[in-house]
């Protein structure tokens, strides 16, 4: 999915919400799905996938796109301003 398609899909989801054809929870799920598809489907970018951190602390629930679990751990650590070795979380594909 390219950027323009993703934006159009998000706009459609918002229109449905504004028209009362979709509730907030369904709209949120729809937008998350669009974003996840966009983030993991870059043209020419093979091997990218979404990874989520689970465990205690600020990293819990964060989702990043990376080529591997170790790269995902580094990206999450960068987002939080911590060393990758300091993260007490499991990293798994979403």
């Amino acid at each position: 999915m390219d950027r323009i398609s993703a934006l159009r899909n998000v706009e459609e989801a918002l229109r449905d919400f504004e028209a009362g054809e979709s509730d907030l929870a369904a709209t949120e799920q729809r937008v998350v799905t669009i974003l996840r598809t966009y983030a993991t489907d870059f043209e020419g970018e093979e091997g990218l996938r979404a990874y989520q951190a689970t465990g205690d602390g600020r990293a819990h629930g964060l989702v990043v796109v990376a080529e591997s679990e170790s790269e995902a751990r580094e990206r999450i650590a960068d987002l939080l301003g911590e060393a990758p070795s300091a993260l007490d979380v499991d990293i798994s594909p979403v």
Side-chain angles (χ1 to χ4, degrees):
M1 173 183 304
D2 65 16
R3 179 183 295 210
I4 299 299
S5 295
L7 291 171
R8 285 183 181 143
N9 290 336
V10 169
E11 286 176 352
E12 183 179 319
L14 292 173
R15 273 194 302 274
D16 290 349
F17 175 72
E18 290 168 347
E21 297 173 11
S22 181
D23 68 0
L24 181 59
T27 302
E28 287 175 332
Q29 184 58 48
R30 193 168 162 189
V31 171
V32 166
T33 301
I34 293 165
L35 177 60
R36 229 176 249 152
T37 301
Y38 172 76
T40 58
D41 195 28
F42 293 115
E43 290 184 25
E45 298 278 343
E46 297 296 324
L48 291 177
R49 64 186 310 177
Y51 290 89
Q52 183 171 27
T54 55
D56 296 327
R58 298 183 311 143
H60 178 75
L62 289 179
V63 177
V64 295
V65 176
E67 290 184 0
S68 65
E69 288 182 22
S70 60
E71 183 181 321
R73 180 176 293 279
E74 289 176 17
R75 287 181 183 233
I76 289 170
D78 286 345
L79 285 172
L80 298 175
E82 297 181 12
S85 59
L87 293 179
D88 186 25
V89 294
D90 292 322
I91 308 293
S92 57
V94 177

